[in-house]
Amino acid sequence: WSSDAGAMESVMNCADGQQASSMANLWSNKQESSRTQKAKGGFVLVHAGAGYHSESKAKEYKHVCKKACQRAVDQLKAGALAVEAVAAALVELEDSPFTNAGMGSNLNLSGEIECDASIMDGKSLHFGAVGAISGIKNPVSVANLSHFITIIAEFSLSAYKRNKRKMELAERMDTGHSQTKKRRQSNENENGSGCLDTVGAVVVDLEGNVAAAVSSGGLAMKHPGRIGQAAHYGCGCWAENARNVNSYSTAVSTSGSPFLASEDRVLGGVIVLRCCTCLEAQSSQNIQGKLVEFLWSHTTESMCVGYMSVQDSKAKTHISRLPSGTVPGQSLAIEGGVCRLMGVTE
C-alpha cells in the first residue's frame, strides 16, 4: 500500500462523558445488565462497510450510522457494559437495507442469504461467532434466538438477478479471464453499493471495558457455505481490556473486500479505538476518566463512519473518501480523533 491519501486527523473534545452452518465458542454465560454500580458513560465508533458509497445514497449511509451510534449510547446510558452496547449497534446496522449485513446482505450463488458475524468482549475475552448462517434477521443476536426470520432487501434481490444474468452471459461468451475480471471490476460501483463489505462497531464504557463486533452478508454470488473473515477468531474483530503490562484497552473491527490472491488490489478498511485511564482523574474515588483515541482507515474508494459519546447530543457521521486521482487498493486514507470521557459512578 502507498499512503497517497495521507493522514488526515481531526481532533475533537467530546463533552465530559445470532439453522447455523457453523458456530464457534458462543457465550458460556450472559453478561449481567444490572449492577450495583453503573458507570453512565462511554463512546462508540461504527462503520457501514468499506467500499463505494454513492453520493446519491450518502444521506442513507450516514443515517444508519447515526442510528447505530444512538442505539449503543442508549444502552450505555442505561448502565450496560460495552459488549451489550456494541451488539445493539450491530443490530441497527444489520436492520438497514443499505448495508451488506443482515437484511441488506448480498445473495449467494443460489440466491440465498448466508451471513457471518462475530462479537468479542474485552473484559472476559469471550468470543462468539456464526458462519454462513441463514434464516436469521440479526446474526449478531444469535445467542438469544430472538429473531428467527429471513428478510431479503429489494435492492439485494435486484442485484442478485442482475449479477446472475451477467454470469450466464459470460458463460456463453469466450471472452477470457482478463476481460471477465475487467468487467467485474468495472461493475463494482454499479448502483452505488456493489462492493460494500462488512459492517462493524467498537465500544468502550466508562469503566474501560471494550468490545467489538462485525457482521457481513459476504461476497455477492459466493458459493453456498462459504465463510468469510467476519466469522473467524482474530480476523473480523478483536477486543481486550488493559491488563498486566498493557495499559491500553483496545478494540478493532475490520472490513475487507476481497483479499483474494487473484486480485491485484488490496481492498479493506478498519476502525480502531484504544483507551487508558486519565491520570488527572485519579484524585477522587468517585470520578473515572478515560482518554479514548480512535481512527478509521481504508484503501477502498470510501468508508462511512459514525461516532458518539454518551455526553454528545447526537452522533457525528462522515463518509471518508480517497482523494481524487488516487487508486483504490493502492492508496490509504486515515482519519481519527481523541475523546476524553469523564463521569461519576453511582
Side-chain angles (χ1 to χ4, degrees):
W1 298 354
S2 63
S3 55
D4 298 345
M8 302 168 283
E9 181 177 357
S10 61
V11 179
M12 63 231 98
N13 291 321
C14 296
D16 293 342
Q18 201 96 157
Q19 223 136 62
S21 297
S22 175
M23 295 186 178
N25 298 328
L26 294 176
W27 309 109
S28 60
N29 58 346
K30 301 179 72 173
Q31 295 290 338
E32 294 183 2
S33 59
S34 176
R35 293 173 291 156
T36 303
Q37 291 188 334
K38 293 184 177 181
K40 297 181 179 180
F43 177 86
V44 55
L45 170 63
V46 308
H47 77 87
Y52 172 78
H53 300 76
S54 68
E55 294 288 356
S56 63
K57 293 186 176 67
K59 183 177 180 180
E60 285 83 358
Y61 296 131
K62 290 182 177 181
H63 182 62
V64 66
C65 284
K66 183 178 295 185
K67 289 178 65 178
C69 287
Q70 188 64 60
R71 187 89 171 256
V73 164
D74 288 345
Q75 290 286 308
L76 291 170
K77 285 183 176 180
L81 293 173
V83 69
E84 299 168 313
V86 81
L90 260 292
V91 166
E92 199 68 52
L93 291 168
E94 290 174 339
D95 285 349
S96 172
F98 296 100
T99 63
N100 178 24
M103 189 177 88
S105 294
N106 288 326
L107 304 189
N108 65 15
L109 196 59
S110 299
E112 301 171 339
I113 284 181
E114 290 186 332
C115 298
D116 304 326
S118 62
I119 185 169
M120 186 167 182
D121 176 18
K123 183 178 183 179
S124 65
L125 298 184
H126 287 171
F127 174 83
V130 291
I133 192 172
S134 60
I136 301 298
K137 180 184 178 185
N138 295 114
V140 77
S141 301
V142 64
N144 63 19
L145 304 178
S146 61
H147 300 285
F148 202 82
I149 183 173
T150 297
I151 299 177
I152 298 177
E154 182 178 351
F155 175 81
S156 298
L157 185 58
S158 297
Y160 168 76
K161 292 178 179 179
R162 183 176 63 254
N163 290 330
K164 190 69 171 178
R165 287 195 298 269
K166 291 178 180 178
M167 290 182 66
E168 292 171 348
L169 179 61
E171 289 173 354
R172 294 196 298 266
M173 298 174 61
D174 185 18
T175 57
H177 171 73
S178 60
Q179 291 184 0
T180 301
K181 180 177 180 180
K182 182 177 180 180
R183 185 188 305 111
R184 182 177 69 249
Q185 293 179 347
S186 66
N187 289 326
E188 281 182 337
N189 295 345
E190 197 170 291
N191 287 336
S193 63
C195 61
L196 289 184
D197 195 64
T198 310
V199 301
V202 289
V203 170
V204 57
D205 58 34
L206 192 59
E207 295 180 349
N209 302 310
V210 293
V214 63
S215 184
S216 178
L219 300 175
M221 310 304 287
K222 65 181 180 181
H223 286 283
R226 179 189 185 275
I227 298 177
Q229 69 184 54
H232 286 80
Y233 179 75
C235 293
C237 67
W238 185 264
E240 185 172 1
N241 280 10
R243 50 175 51 86
N244 302 326
V245 297
N246 183 12
S247 60
Y248 288 96
S249 296
T250 307
V252 182
S253 184
T254 68
S255 178
S257 176
F259 286 132
L260 300 177
S262 60
E263 295 291 331
D264 54 12
R265 297 181 299 168
V266 181
L267 300 170
V270 63
I271 56 175
V272 183
L273 71 76
R274 73 172 188 171
C275 69
C276 63
T277 301
C278 298
L279 296 178
E280 62 270 27
Q282 294 181 346
S283 59
S284 173
Q285 294 181 352
N286 295 325
I287 300 295
Q288 290 190 12
K290 297 294 177 183
L291 182 66
V292 181
E293 299 171 296
F294 60 96
L295 65 82
W296 54 89
S297 180
H298 59 98
T299 61
T300 55
E301 184 170 327
S302 59
M303 188 173 189
C304 185
V305 299
Y307 51 94
M308 183 180 185
S309 78
V310 165
Q311 286 73 21
D312 290 332
S313 59
K314 62 179 180 180
K316 296 179 178 66
T317 59
H318 172 59
I319 296 183
S320 173
R321 299 184 185 278
L322 292 178
S324 177
T326 59
V327 180
Q330 299 178 6
S331 303
L332 176 70
I334 304 175
E335 300 182 69
V338 178
C339 176
R340 190 179 299 275
L341 303 177
M342 304 295 290
V344 179
T345 60
E346 296 178 351

